[in-house]
Amino acid sequence: MKGLDRLAEQHIREHQVRQLKIDEVEAREHAERLRSLAAQAEILADWRQKSINQAGPMGVLDIVAQDLESFVELFEHAPRCELPEPLELRRPVQVS
């Protein structure tokens, strides 16, 4: 019976070691993916800034127009809320 217990413990330890190695590899791959995404975002930001710098005044107007369009789209899809009118703007009720 002791031989089977030792064998079971050995298998458990081997499995734990394999799982640790797999976890380390996954952690490294995840870190590499994050670095890659950060590098891509940096390249995209650099590209946009270079495009703006090379475009001149029309490029600035284009960027302002894009930002305004984004704001308008955001505003169009924003939830609506009904605010009460201030007291000084309300019309007096006429009783006849």
Side-chain angles (χ1 to χ4, degrees), residues 7-38:
L7 185 60
E9 286 179 19
Q10 181 181 358
H11 282 293
I12 291 171
R13 286 189 197 119
E14 288 175 359
H15 176 73
Q16 289 173 338
V17 168
R18 275 191 235 113
Q19 190 63 42
L20 282 174
K21 288 180 182 178
I22 290 171
D23 291 345
E24 289 174 2
V25 168
E26 287 177 352
R28 267 188 259 128
E29 288 175 354
H30 181 67
E32 288 175 11
R33 253 186 268 121
L34 288 178
R35 272 188 247 122
S36 174
L37 290 174

Side-chain angles (χ1 to χ4, degrees), residues 6-74:
R6 283 187 196 159
L7 185 60
E9 286 179 19
Q10 181 181 358
H11 282 293
I12 291 171
R13 286 189 197 119
E14 288 175 359
H15 176 73
Q16 289 173 338
V17 168
R18 275 191 235 113
Q19 190 63 42
L20 282 174
K21 288 180 182 178
I22 290 171
D23 291 345
E24 289 174 2
V25 168
E26 287 177 352
R28 267 188 259 128
E29 288 175 354
H30 181 67
E32 288 175 11
R33 253 186 268 121
L34 288 178
R35 272 188 247 122
S36 174
L37 290 174
Q40 288 175 356
E42 186 176 326
I43 289 170
L44 182 61
D46 288 346
W47 172 82
R48 185 170 189 210
Q49 187 62 46
K50 286 178 185 175
S51 297
I52 292 169
N53 292 344
Q54 292 173 352
M58 291 305 290
V60 173
L61 290 176
D62 186 46
I63 296 301
V64 170
Q66 287 177 12
D67 288 346
L68 181 61
E69 183 180 0
S70 296
F71 173 74
V72 168
E73 287 177 4
L74 177 69

Side-chain angles (χ1 to χ4, degrees), residues 66-92:
Q66 287 177 12
D67 288 346
L68 181 61
E69 183 180 0
S70 296
F71 173 74
V72 168
E73 287 177 4
L74 177 69
F75 189 73
E76 286 175 347
H77 299 294
R80 304 246 186 249
C81 63
E82 296 296 326
L83 299 175
E85 288 185 34
L87 292 175
E88 58 270 1
L89 295 178
R90 291 184 186 165
R91 294 182 180 167

